[in-house]
Amino acid sequence: MSLYRRDAISPEWEPAPWPMGRKAADEQERGFHERAIKPVAWQPIPWRSFPTEGLFGHDKDWFLSADVAFFASVDGEDLLLIQNLWFGWPDPPEWGLVSRPTSGSDVNWRHWGHFPEPPAAWEVPIATDR
């Protein structure tokens, strides 16, 4: 069962990677929506640009090569907000989200899919140095 209409041309949310089985996509979409309703405000910061010296064991170039625009730490979880340089059909929607527990430097990042607009609960700054 799909949680929402998954339009192949203009989806409101798209699993990553695409295509993905329905059960796995539903689980990923639920995880996205759990995070999408958490307020992540720009002031007084949680979405931040990456420091030149890097973060999470990676240098800034690693994040730029993965199209990661911002990071935040919310409710014990580190979030990476992806802003795809190439987006729209047939490419994924503009935005994506990955996360891992804040204390989980040995844990792999988990992808929560792609979406055309950041959730309303998030205040996303404008990328200035990409």
Side-chain angles (χ1 to χ4, degrees):
M1 167 184 107
S2 295
L3 296 178
Y4 297 97
R5 180 188 67 128
R6 293 188 182 132
D7 185 302
I9 304 299
S10 183
E12 291 299 316
W13 175 90
E14 181 177 296
W18 175 265
M20 177 182 281
R22 183 170 284 176
K23 185 176 179 180
D26 284 348
E27 179 184 339
Q28 191 178 78
E29 189 171 13
R30 270 191 293 279
F32 166 72
H33 287 289
E34 288 171 8
R35 288 152 184 82
I37 62 174
K38 293 180 182 180
V40 185
W42 174 237
Q43 298 297 331
I45 309 182
W47 288 120
R48 295 169 277 182
S49 297
F50 292 91
T52 305
E53 63 275 10
L55 189 68
F56 306 128
H58 296 286
D59 63 15
K60 186 175 180 177
D61 289 339
W62 182 88
F63 292 98
L64 293 175
S65 70
D67 290 338
V68 178
F70 302 104
F71 75 96
S73 294
V74 177
D75 293 340
E77 192 170 40
D78 293 326
L79 308 172
L80 300 180
L81 184 59
I82 298 165
Q83 187 175 19
N84 292 306
L85 294 176
W86 298 99
F87 59 89
W89 194 87
D91 296 312
E94 183 174 4
W95 300 94
L97 180 68
V98 298
S99 72
R100 72 176 185 193
T102 300
S103 61
S105 61
D106 59 338
V107 177
N108 289 331
W109 294 94
R110 185 158 182 195
H111 211 303
W112 300 108
H114 294 280
F115 38 96
E117 298 291 331
W122 301 355
E123 294 179 31
V124 177
I126 297 171
T128 58
D129 61 349
R130 293 195 31 168

